């Protein structure tokens, strides 16, 4: 799902973003017909995939091969598109430069940003809509001390849309952390959980000084909708 978002912690100036060249971060979730991943696992894996790319030396090194594209992407609206693939489509996507991140059952491959109209043909043909997943059981409470990406309990979003939103929230948390905290999180393998907040907890979270995703409303939900709060212990 294409999910530009507005966030005060963005490194780009709000007034300048639309005038800059627009890029998108592609994510592809493996969705085999008979063995789909659990929804929460896919949401968490998508968030960790975004973080893994942001921490990769090809991005963090100013001379890294992906650094220029990531900078251009972050200087415009932060767009992410989640597509699905299976079988041969997944194998072909895996041949393109990118990083595959695995969860308990989910596999998500993240690629360096591409221009909005410059998608590789192997990715452009993959489907966006219809990425719907379920949890076989209610997710357990998050492990103590790990970051939690809290979903708005009042919004209904497809799995693909929500995967983009959890990726946004993880990115906002990453921007707010100092270098030491970033290194610690990366070395630990980016532990995190995605859960739906209770209405009362959501009201408290959205008034705290925590990263909050506000969606631009291009797909599924109204512009300005608050979708996810990133509750990282280091930001409390």
């Amino acid at each position: 799902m294409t999910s530009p978002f507005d966030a005060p912690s963005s490194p780009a100036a709000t007034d300048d973003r639309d005038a800059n060249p627009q890029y998108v971060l592609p994510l592809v979730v493996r969705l085999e017909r008979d063995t789909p991943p659990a929804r929460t696992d896919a949401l968490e894996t998508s968030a960790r995939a975004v973080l893994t790319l942001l921490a990769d030396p090809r991005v963090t090194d100013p001379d890294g091969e992906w650094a220029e594209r990531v900078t251009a992407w972050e200087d415009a609206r932060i767009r992410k598109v989640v597509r699905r693939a299976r079988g041969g489509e997944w194998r072909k996507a895996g041949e393109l430069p990118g990083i595959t991140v695995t969860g308990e059952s989910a596999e998500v491959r993240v690629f360096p940003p591409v221009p909005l109209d410059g998608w590789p043909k192997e990715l452009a043909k993959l489907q966006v809509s219809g990425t719907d997943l379920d949890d076989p059981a209610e997710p357990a409470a998050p492990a103590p001390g790990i970051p939690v990406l809290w979903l708005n309990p009042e919004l209904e979003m497809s799995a693909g849309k929500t995967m983009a939103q959890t990726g946004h929230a993880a990115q906002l948390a990453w921007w707010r952390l100092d270098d030491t905290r970033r290194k610690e999180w990366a070395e630990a393998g980016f532990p995190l959980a995605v859960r739906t907040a209770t209405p009362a907890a959501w009201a408290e979270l959205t008034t705290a000084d925590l990263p909050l995703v506000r969606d631009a409303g291009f797909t599924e939900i109204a512009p300005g909708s608050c979708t996810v709060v990133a509750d990282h212990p280091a930001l409390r």
Side-chain angles (χ1 to χ4, degrees):
M1 297 294 169
T2 304
S3 299
F5 66 97
D6 298 317
S9 55
S10 170
T14 302
D15 292 341
D16 297 336
R17 288 181 302 170
D18 291 331
N20 293 334
Q22 300 293 305
Y23 285 76
V24 60
L25 186 79
L27 296 116
V28 176
V29 57
R30 185 175 186 180
L31 197 60
E32 299 293 344
R33 193 183 306 274
D34 297 329
T35 55
R39 180 185 176 96
T40 295
D41 188 27
L43 301 181
E44 293 172 349
T45 305
S46 177
R48 289 193 296 111
V50 172
L51 292 166
T52 300
L53 180 130
L54 292 174
D56 192 279
R58 288 167 288 186
V59 174
T60 59
D61 184 338
D63 296 322
E65 62 180 296
W66 297 345
E68 185 175 348
R69 274 189 282 173
V70 170
T71 297
W73 170 60
E74 291 184 335
D75 282 345
R77 286 188 177 270
I78 309 298
R79 300 172 184 257
K80 297 179 181 70
V81 172
V82 176
R83 296 177 184 265
R84 67 182 192 274
R86 65 172 181 262
E89 295 173 333
W90 175 256
R91 289 190 294 275
K92 289 180 180 178
E95 295 171 357
L96 298 176
I99 305 168
T100 298
V101 176
T102 59
E104 293 182 5
S105 60
E107 293 180 72
V108 175
R109 189 164 179 84
V110 60
F111 303 86
V114 298
L116 280 179
D117 57 355
W119 281 72
K121 64 181 185 300
E122 295 89 348
L123 302 183
K125 65 183 181 181
L126 299 178
Q127 294 294 312
V128 178
S129 61
T131 306
D132 293 310
L133 300 169
D134 296 308
D135 282 314
E138 186 73 19
I146 69 168
V148 182
L149 309 180
W150 292 105
L151 304 176
N152 185 338
E154 298 179 355
L155 289 179
E156 292 285 341
M157 297 183 290
S158 68
K161 175 77 172 181
T162 313
M163 288 173 68
Q165 300 299 304
T166 58
H168 293 339
Q171 186 171 3
L172 290 181
W174 179 258
W175 282 343
R176 289 271 294 269
L177 296 174
D178 61 30
D179 289 343
T180 298
R181 296 294 190 180
R182 288 181 178 183
K183 183 178 180 182
E184 290 173 351
W185 201 10
E187 289 179 346
F190 294 117
L192 57 83
V194 175
R195 297 292 187 271
T196 300
T198 64
W202 181 255
E204 293 181 4
L205 288 162
T206 53
T207 57
D209 184 23
L210 293 169
L212 171 65
V213 178
R214 296 181 184 274
D215 192 69
F218 289 171
T219 60
E220 297 194 23
I221 57 178
S225 296
C226 298
T227 59
V228 191
V229 171
D231 189 2
H232 193 294
L235 300 178
R236 283 286 186 171

